[in-house]
Structures are given as C-alpha cells and as structure tokens.
C-alpha cells in the first residue's frame, strides 16, 4: 500500500488541535494525562529534545481551555467533566535571550499574547515588566481559576552556555520571575513546566519547590515517547507497509526497530521502555523505511558534552572512540539525588548532561526495593552510532 494512502503521520506537529483537525494518527496518552491532572496538579517534567513535551503541553492546553472538543474517541472524553479555564500558555524557546532587558520585554509580550488568546480584556494593558504582566493576567482572569503551562522553561539558560556572565544574569532574572509565578499559581487548577534539564530549579529557583518532579516517576515513564504496545497499536498500517517493503516478518521488523530506536527508560526500576517519537515517525514516513539516525541528525551536541567526549576518549595510545564507547556500553552508576538536584549545568557531572540530553538512559538500579543509584547506559544503536560519529569528528 502506498504511504500516501495511509493516515497522516504527525511529523513535526506540536499542536494537538491541528493534529486532530488534520486527522493525523495520535497515540492516545489521555489516560495518563487524566491521572496526572488528578494526582499532581503542580508538576515538572524533563525529557530530551523531540520526545513529545510540546505536544503534551498542547494537549493539556486544549483540554483545559476547550474541554473535550478535540478529544472524540479518546479515553479522556468519557471521564473529563471539568469547566473551562483561562490558560497562561508560554513557550520560553521564543524568548529573546540577547540581554536581560530583551528577555523581560519578550516574556511580557508572551503573557500579553496569551491574554489575547484567552479572550481577556486587554484594554489599558500597561507597558509592564514580565512580573507585572503576570499579575495583570491573573487580575483579568477575575474569579476564574487559571492553568499555567510553560514549555522549554530552561531554554533561555541553555541558549547561553557559552556566555557565563549573561547566563548568570538571565538565571537571576528568571528566578525572580518564577518567584512571582509561585504566588500567581496559588489557587490555580494545574501548573506544569517542561524542559530538558532540572538544573535550573535548584538553588536560584528554590521558589519553585512547590512543583512535584515527575521525571523519574515510574507511573509517568511513558507520558512521552511510545511504548512498543503503543507503537504496534497506533501505527499498525505503517508497520505492515514496512514489512511488505523490506520483506520482513512483523516480529523481525519490530526487532530491528527495537535495536535502533527503543531502550529509553525514565524510571529507576527501568520497568517501562519507550521509543523516541521523532525517530519512529521519521522512520515510518521514509518511503524506503531506512534506519537512519533521525533524532541525532536534527540536533547538536553541547559544548559541555563535546568537551567530555574529547577528554574521555583520550588514551595512552591516542584518541580512540572505541575506548569511550566500551566504557559507556558497560554502564555507569550515578546517585538519584544528583539527577534530582543537579547544580549549574556547567559544573554538572558530564554523565548527567548526557542523560538529560538523551545520549544516556536508565538501564538499572542498585536496589529494586530502595533505589539510590542508577545505572546509565546507551539506549540503542542510533545513539551508539551518533556518539561514534561525534567522537570521530572531534578526534
């Protein structure tokens, strides 16, 4: 069957409502989303890039702002009975990080833009700082409860890793904003922050300690990414087409896909493994069903990780990527505490950097009953190949 005759894949689609309007295939995560809204109304989720964080927040945005309008035939349609809310929806990757002044102005602009999306009366909206704009948004919501969603909350800081002085200034400015956010969040129905790292919620961001970090919670390990069960159920037409084209049985095809793209685990017990969204969708969208390094090819390794790769690949005989690959393949243990309270990204253990950015994942624990140490290792062949290529380029 030609790929063009199959249901649309949500390639690069981070808008839940657009995805549903276009009738794209959607992996139904709404049972987990429903449970999350009940159990953790103030939460933080960290995941590597292109793991579905933005789509998750967009799904929550639609649910709280428009109810089940776009959720027909999904789990949550039958159980959701809440009123509509005003949703402060911010994407920090859109902020201008060239200076603290421009950061504050662009953040204030995003808040005003969100007010307009919520049909709030913005007449006489003052030219205000981000903190004042936040207060203004809440005032104009009146007695109606708010929902606060922030995507890429750590983007402004990560964008300035090579400019330590500016990074410090931006960190302090955002910490001040988040202190005000904590006050605005009081009485809110739901608050969620998503990003790549957790480091910016320590020390300077201690005012955000009212958030529950669900990043390493077993019950939400599959909140983003695809489990194999979800893969075979949601994308069955494409898997069948791939079997036909590659002349493989379904079991053989899944074994190949598993080797290349599976293996990510985000809970201490490694009880749930998921595939990277971007890699799976692009593999299925390729008319030749090629096993390429889709995820790696759309990003770049940070300078901090690059330096680690250079240092760790040095041996008495020279620079050999095979030495490092063998070290990483064996797995490294690191304390859970260090992952939950990582310091400044520049000073963080390089293994933590590799974990947050998706090059390492949880592969086991020291104690299944009371885990204190996690074993980190390379998740799959795509990442092993990506690291090998990176090290060769750096050699």
């Amino acid at each position: 069957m030609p790929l063009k005759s199959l249901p649309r894949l949500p390639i690069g689609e981070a808008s839940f409502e657009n995805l549903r309007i276009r009738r794209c295939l959607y992996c139904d995560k709404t049972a987990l989303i429903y449970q999350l809204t009940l159990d953790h109304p103030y939460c933080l989720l960290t995941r590597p890039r292109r793991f579905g964080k933005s789509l998750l927040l967009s799904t929550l945005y639609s649910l709280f702002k428009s109810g089940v309008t776009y959720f027909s035939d999904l789990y949550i349609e039958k159980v959701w009975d809440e009123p509509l809310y005003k949703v402060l929806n911010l994407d920090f990757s859109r902020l201008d990080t060239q200076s603290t002044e421009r950061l504050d102005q662009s953040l204030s602009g995003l808040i005003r833009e969100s007010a307009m999306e919520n049909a709030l009366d913005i007449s006489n909206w003052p030219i205000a700082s981000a903190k004042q704009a936040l207060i203004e948004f809440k005032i104009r919501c009146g007695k109606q409860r708010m929902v606060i969603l922030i995507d890429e909350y750590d983007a402004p800081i990560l964008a300035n890793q090579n400019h330590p002085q500016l990074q410090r200034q931006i960190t302090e400015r955002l910490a001040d904003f988040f202190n005000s956010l904590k006050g605005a969040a009081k009485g809110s129905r739901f608050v969620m922050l998503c990003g790549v790292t957790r480091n910016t919620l320590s020390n300077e961001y201690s005012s955000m300690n009212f958030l529950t970090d669900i990043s390493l919670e077993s019950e939400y390990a599959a909140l983003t990414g695809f489990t194999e069960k979800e893969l075979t159920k949601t994308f069955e037409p494409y898997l069948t087409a791939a079997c036909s084209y590659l002349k493989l049985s379904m079991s053989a095809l899944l074994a190949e896909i598993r080797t290349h793209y599976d293996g990510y685990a985000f809970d201490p017990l490694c009880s749930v493994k998921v595939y990277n969204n971007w890699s799976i969708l692009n593999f299925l969208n390729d008319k030749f069903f090629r096993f390429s390094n889709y995820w790696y090819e759309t990003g770049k390794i940070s300078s901090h990780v690059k330096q680690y790769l250079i240092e760790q690949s040095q041996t008495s005989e020279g620079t050999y990527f095979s030495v490092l690959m063998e070290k990483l393949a064996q797995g490294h243990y690191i304390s859970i505490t260090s992952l939950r309270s990582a310091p400044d990204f520049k000073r963080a253990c390089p293994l933590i950097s590799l974990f947050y950015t998706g090059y390492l994942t949880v592969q086991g624990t020291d104690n299944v009953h009371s885990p204190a140490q996690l074993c980190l290792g390379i998740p799959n062949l795509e990442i092993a190949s990506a690291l090998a290529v990176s090290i060769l380029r750096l050699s």
Side-chain angles (χ1 to χ4, degrees), residues 27-70:
C27 180
D28 189 358
K29 298 282 188 180
T30 61
L32 271 178
I33 289 173
Y34 178 63
Q35 195 62 42
L36 175 66
T37 63
L38 296 178
D39 294 345
H40 298 294
Y42 306 101
C43 60
L44 164 75
L45 178 72
T46 61
R47 288 291 186 269
R49 63 181 176 82
R50 295 197 179 280
F51 248 95
K53 300 185 297 294
S54 295
L55 179 58
L56 170 64
L57 287 178
S58 178
T59 306
L60 286 160
Y61 175 78
S62 181
L63 181 65
F64 283 114
K65 188 171 183 292
S66 304
V68 295
T69 302
Y70 297 94

Side-chain angles (χ1 to χ4, degrees), residues 291-353:
F291 290 97
S292 299
N293 294 344
Y294 298 106
W295 177 81
Y296 171 73
E297 290 170 355
T298 61
K300 60 181 180 179
I301 295 180
S302 70
S303 58
H304 186 46
V305 176
K306 282 182 180 178
Q307 185 60 37
Y308 172 72
L309 294 177
I310 293 173
E311 292 172 355
Q312 294 298 308
S313 61
Q314 297 290 335
T315 72
S316 58
E317 299 178 3
T319 301
Y320 295 100
F321 77 86
S322 59
V323 175
L324 176 58
M325 294 305 293
E326 184 177 350
K327 289 180 181 179
L328 293 177
Q330 292 173 354
H332 290 255
Y333 277 89
I334 193 166
S335 71
I336 294 180
T337 302
S338 64
L339 287 178
R340 292 190 184 279
S341 57
D344 176 22
F345 210 51
K346 281 280 187 181
R347 299 192 299 270
C349 167
L351 290 177
I352 294 177
S353 303

Side-chain angles (χ1 to χ4, degrees), residues 28 40 91 95 121 164-165 178 197 200 212 215 224 230 237 254 265 280 285 298 328 352 374:
D28 189 358
H40 298 294
D91 179 359
L95 296 179
D121 178 12
Q165 183 176 354
F178 279 124
T197 69
T200 45
T212 299
S215 305
T224 63
E230 291 170 335
L254 290 175
I280 288 296
N285 191 56
T298 61
L328 293 177
I352 294 177
L374 297 181

